[in-house]
Amino acid sequence: MNTLTKMALGLLGQLHGRPASGEVLGELALPPARTTGGLALMEALSRRHSEREFRPDALAPEQLSDLLWAAAGINRSEHGGRTAPSALNAQEVDLYVALSQGLYRYEPQRHVLLLVKAEDVRRVTGYQDFVDHAPLDLVYVADHGRMKTVPAAMRESYASVAAGAMAQNVYLCCASAGLATVVRAWFDRQALGQAMGLGPEQQILLTQTVGWPPAASSPGA
Ligand SMILES: Cc1cc2nc3c(=O)[nH]c(=O)nc-3n(C[C@H](O)[C@H](O)[C@H](O)COP(=O)(O)O)c2cc1C
């Protein structure tokens, strides 16, 4: 769907998702994240960039697992420490995962995806048309209910910083894996919040598309 159509539908309150495709599972198991190896850090930084062209091919479960762990995974199991920082360790940013087979929420403790809605909401995650068919759109959502110890005036900015750190982890993971990604703030907040069924304490901060760049070879290609 092109940008103008999305804007018009958004104004009319009619920008919605599509029915999910394939089998919709209440819980999607993920293989363990590969927490060693990959590109050397300085090389990944050298390659980090935004891309806005994606092939529709699905990501491999291992790639999805690595990306989610990079964004929001637990890297210190003794106290539940995460790969990205958060003010007062509030861990207030939830990672939602929009796939063709439904909208899921990443659950870091069990490293699984939990079904939120059996709907393909990818096209609502941004005004740009590539978000509709790229295999993965991430949505970073702050839960203000988890920030009660942070002064109210600071909550949005602290959560945005935390989401930015998570998004940069995804950028570096993509650079290492040869995947394309772009972080995005240009989306219809009202339409997306409704499509996701978010509550009053939840605030969408950022979205991020991930997929194969046009020239890359994907499994089975
Ligand atoms: C907060 C933020 C919001 C952004 N929003 C969008 C967006 O809505 N759409 C988009 O295509 N790119 C978006 N970008 C990506 C920037 O355009 C991109 O990072 C910038 O052009 C620099 O390019 P580079 O990432 O390749 O270095 C956003 C970046 C940031 C940090």
Side-chain angles (χ1 to χ4, degrees):
M1 187 187 285
N2 68 41
T3 300
L4 282 178
T5 307
K6 290 189 191 199
M7 292 177 118
L9 287 175
L11 284 173
L12 297 169
Q14 295 298 321
L15 181 56
H16 304 304
R18 285 175 290 189
S21 67
E23 192 186 1
V24 180
L25 298 170
E27 187 170 305
L28 279 187
L30 296 164
R34 295 167 290 192
T35 59
T36 59
L39 219 55
L41 175 62
M42 300 310 269
E43 207 174 330
L45 283 165
S46 301
R47 293 191 191 184
R48 187 221 66 84
H49 67 284
S50 298
E51 273 191 72
R52 296 174 185 81
E53 280 185 72
F54 301 87
R55 292 168 57 181
D57 311 64
L59 299 175
E62 292 76 14
Q63 291 173 313
L64 184 59
S65 170
D66 292 353
L67 288 163
L68 300 178
W69 184 81
I74 292 176
N75 65 356
R76 288 151 293 158
S77 54
E78 60 284 6
H79 59 87
R82 300 281 183 89
T83 52
S86 59
L88 298 171
N89 198 23
Q91 301 180 355
E92 72 277 17
V93 180
D94 288 319
L95 188 59
Y96 284 75
V97 177
L99 301 165
S100 63
Q101 61 266 48
L103 175 69
Y104 289 82
R105 184 173 55 77
Y106 177 58
E107 216 276 291
Q109 285 74 25
R110 293 175 50 228
H111 192 62
V112 294
L113 286 173
L114 302 176
L115 184 67
V116 174
K117 203 172 179 187
E119 197 173 294
D120 178 359
V121 302
R122 288 177 298 168
R123 70 178 177 192
V124 193
T125 69
Y127 285 119
Q128 290 154 292
D129 55 3
F130 60 78
V131 312
D132 304 21
H133 66 261
L136 170 64
D137 287 301
L138 299 170
V139 185
Y140 298 88
V141 179
D143 182 348
H144 285 251
R146 258 179 261 155
M147 288 189 283
K148 298 296 185 201
T149 53
V150 175
M154 303 308 295
R155 286 177 194 160
E156 183 172 343
S157 66
Y158 284 6
S160 300
V161 169
M166 294 164 74
Q168 176 73 352
N169 286 359
V170 171
Y171 265 106
L172 293 177
C173 194
C174 287
S176 175
L179 294 172
T181 190
V182 61
V183 72
R184 300 180 287 99
W186 191 40
F187 52 85
D188 185 328
R189 283 166 170 71
Q190 197 175 346
L192 185 53
Q194 274 170 10
M196 294 173 70
L198 297 184
E201 298 255 67
Q202 291 182 290
Q203 179 187 18
I204 306 170
L205 302 169
L206 285 173
T207 56
Q208 185 168 18
T209 304
V210 181
W212 297 93
S217 62
S218 58

